[in-house]
């Protein structure tokens, strides 16, 4: 069982920046899919950024939703077991609950990342991001 704990959300004005962190517990399967999802009231979860973590702790080319490309950056610190999401040039439409998610490999594979065609097995509690105009 993997445990995920996010932090770093908050309220900022449009154009501002935030850095979200997700500490995940170590688990037997060191490889798998990691991602940040976003949810706004009345809508389904949207995968905004994702990576595949290999057994040697390297990560794949990241996936970004079109709406965040060029503004958000996903990264992973293996020593700290932490997944990050850097949010820059924030817009009011970026407002939402940002949740860190993960899935073991298998069933998740690296080729699932570009299309985000995988179902998370592990979910954090989420951290709220609010962007005002």
């Amino acid at each position: 069982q993997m445990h995920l704990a996010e932090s770093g959300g908050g309220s900022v004005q449009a154009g501002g920046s935030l850095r979200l962190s997700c500490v995940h517990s170590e688990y037997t399967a060191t490889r798998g899919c990691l991602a940040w999802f976003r949810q706004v009231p009345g809508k389904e979860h949207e995968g905004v950024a994702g990576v595949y973590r290999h057994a040697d702790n390297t990560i794949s080319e990241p996936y970004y939703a079109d709406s965040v490309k060029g503004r958000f950056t996903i990264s992973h610190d293996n020593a700290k077991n932490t997944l990050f999401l850097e949010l820059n040039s924030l817009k009011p439409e970026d407002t939402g609950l940002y949740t860190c998610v993960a899935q073991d490999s298998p069933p998740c594979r690296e080729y699932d990342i570009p299309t985000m065609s995988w179902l998370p097995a592990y979910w954090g509690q989420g951290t709220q991001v609010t962007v005002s105009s």
Side-chain angles (χ1 to χ4, degrees):
Q1 184 72 26
M2 179 185 238
H3 298 282
L4 306 166
E6 306 95 333
S7 62
S11 298
V12 296
Q13 290 191 326
S17 299
L18 286 171
R19 189 189 197 200
L20 309 183
S21 300
C22 172
V23 180
H24 59 85
S25 60
E26 291 189 41
Y27 63 126
T28 303
T30 59
R31 62 182 185 184
C33 295
L34 297 165
W36 288 94
F37 277 31
R38 174 173 71 191
Q39 187 178 32
V40 298
K43 294 187 178 180
E44 294 185 358
H45 283 99
E46 173 193 18
V48 295
V51 291
Y52 182 84
R53 182 189 183 192
H54 294 276
D56 63 358
N57 288 325
T58 57
I59 61 172
S60 68
E61 282 293 310
Y63 159 87
Y64 295 105
D66 288 341
S67 59
V68 307
K69 280 181 181 176
R71 300 187 299 119
F72 290 11
T73 303
I74 188 171
S75 62
H76 187 263
D77 186 326
N78 297 316
K80 297 180 179 179
N81 285 334
T82 303
L83 184 71
F84 297 101
L85 187 67
E86 194 84 32
L87 292 69
N88 296 311
S89 302
L90 281 162
K91 304 175 182 180
E93 52 264 41
D94 293 319
T95 294
L97 183 69
Y98 285 71
T99 304
C100 178
V101 300
Q103 174 60 281
D104 298 324
S105 179
C108 184
R109 301 291 187 182
E110 184 174 5
Y111 55 71
D112 293 321
I113 294 297
T115 56
M116 290 294 278
S117 55
W118 55 280
L119 293 177
Y122 311 106
W123 293 74
Q125 293 297 311
T127 185
Q128 179 68 31
V129 171
T130 302
V131 185
S132 58
S133 57

